[in-house]
Amino acid sequence: MSRLKIILLVLGVSLGLVYAEENVESVTEQDIIATLANNSESFVEAESAPASTIVKKAPEPLVIGLALGGGAAKGFAHIGVIKALEENHIKAQVITGTSAGSLVGSLYAYGYTPEQLQKISYQMDELNLADFTFSRDGVIKGTRLQQFVDARVKNTPLQKLRTKFTAVATDLDSGQSIGFNNGDTGIAVRASCSIPNVFMPVQMNNHRYVDGGLSAPVPVTYAKKAGANFIIAVDISAKPEQGRSGYLSNFDQTINILSVKLLAEQLKQADVVIHPDITTLSSFSFDKKQEAIDIGYKAAMAQMPIIKQKIAQWQKLHNN
């Protein structure tokens, strides 16, 4: 038998054409070659078929978070920032606030417009929000502030506010920050705003809570926890103008110094940081509300091109 016949015979056996030794001669070379040709076509078809179907990833929705920092009366600047964002059709789906940021943030989360927030701000001053007392734990109870907030949000609990909201406070005994997103809105804001030795600590569940600025000056991480994937932070912690003195100015600066490291840790996690130039204001400038609002508006508008650019970049990166 020739070498070609032997090769064809082996191929024939593998193809099932040769099933017994006695039938070897009955299979012709032409039969084997024809079968090989037919099978090779099927092999090509099989190889050309895709191994698997490619599933296109669904677009990731943009969830904007607004993290509002603390600063007492300087917090009116947050209203100006919100006004600028709304005018440019940038609406937060998640809001977090520390101290003054929790006060403005809770009202915004309830559904008030920037114009309405501005009107409400004129009702806020030391006299109608402060209920003075004689206590070694503080000189202001904070009950009036709690009642003020509850009245404005019509006693709506945190979990039922129109926009997802978290008020951040500090556990006085452990030093840990805590985010309130469930329960009474007024008491959560009161806890977040309770400056140590000025406000009495808020007692809840056997814990004492004070100002959130001591643990999370601008609560960016809480915005992330609540589901935001693009975060705009507003930092109003800039120190007062050099040369100011007195108890209130010194106290203001002391808080800023204590929170420098914590502030940096929070801000580096934000996509955009707005720094209103509030150096002409102090934490107790309740008589300069409109000035603070205007400063916040100006700062946000100055960064609007960058904010829009970064939002566009985020959408392109996550939806292509």
Side-chain angles (χ1 to χ4, degrees), residues 135-249:
S135 171
R136 63 181 182 181
D137 294 326
V139 296
I140 298 176
K141 291 180 181 178
T143 305
R144 282 190 182 178
L145 173 61
Q146 177 182 338
Q147 293 171 342
F148 180 89
V149 174
D150 278 333
R152 297 307 178 281
V153 302
K154 297 180 172 58
N155 294 311
T156 304
L158 291 162
Q159 68 273 20
K160 291 188 177 181
L161 295 174
R162 184 173 299 180
T163 303
K164 189 180 292 187
F165 173 71
T166 302
V168 179
T170 302
D171 188 317
L172 183 58
D173 298 304
S174 69
Q176 296 297 311
S177 66
I178 181 169
F180 294 105
N181 53 24
N182 188 71
D184 185 274
T185 300
I187 198 169
V189 171
R190 173 186 171 187
S192 182
C193 293
S194 293
I195 302 170
N197 297 320
V198 177
F199 283 79
M200 294 178 63
V202 175
Q203 302 273 353
M204 285 190 288
N205 303 318
N206 296 320
H207 288 268
R208 298 181 300 162
Y209 296 106
V210 293
D211 198 312
L214 298 175
S215 56
V218 182
V220 175
T221 53
Y222 282 94
K224 284 190 173 184
K225 289 179 182 179
N229 50 28
F230 186 92
I231 301 172
I232 300 170
V234 185
D235 173 27
I236 54 171
S237 63
K239 64 180 182 180
E241 287 182 332
Q242 188 174 0
R244 287 197 178 194
S245 60
Y247 171 77
L248 296 181
S249 293

Side-chain angles (χ1 to χ4, degrees), residues 267-279:
L267 295 184
K268 70 181 180 181
Q269 299 180 64
D271 295 276
V272 176
V273 180
I274 299 173
H275 295 280
D277 182 12
I278 41 74
T279 52

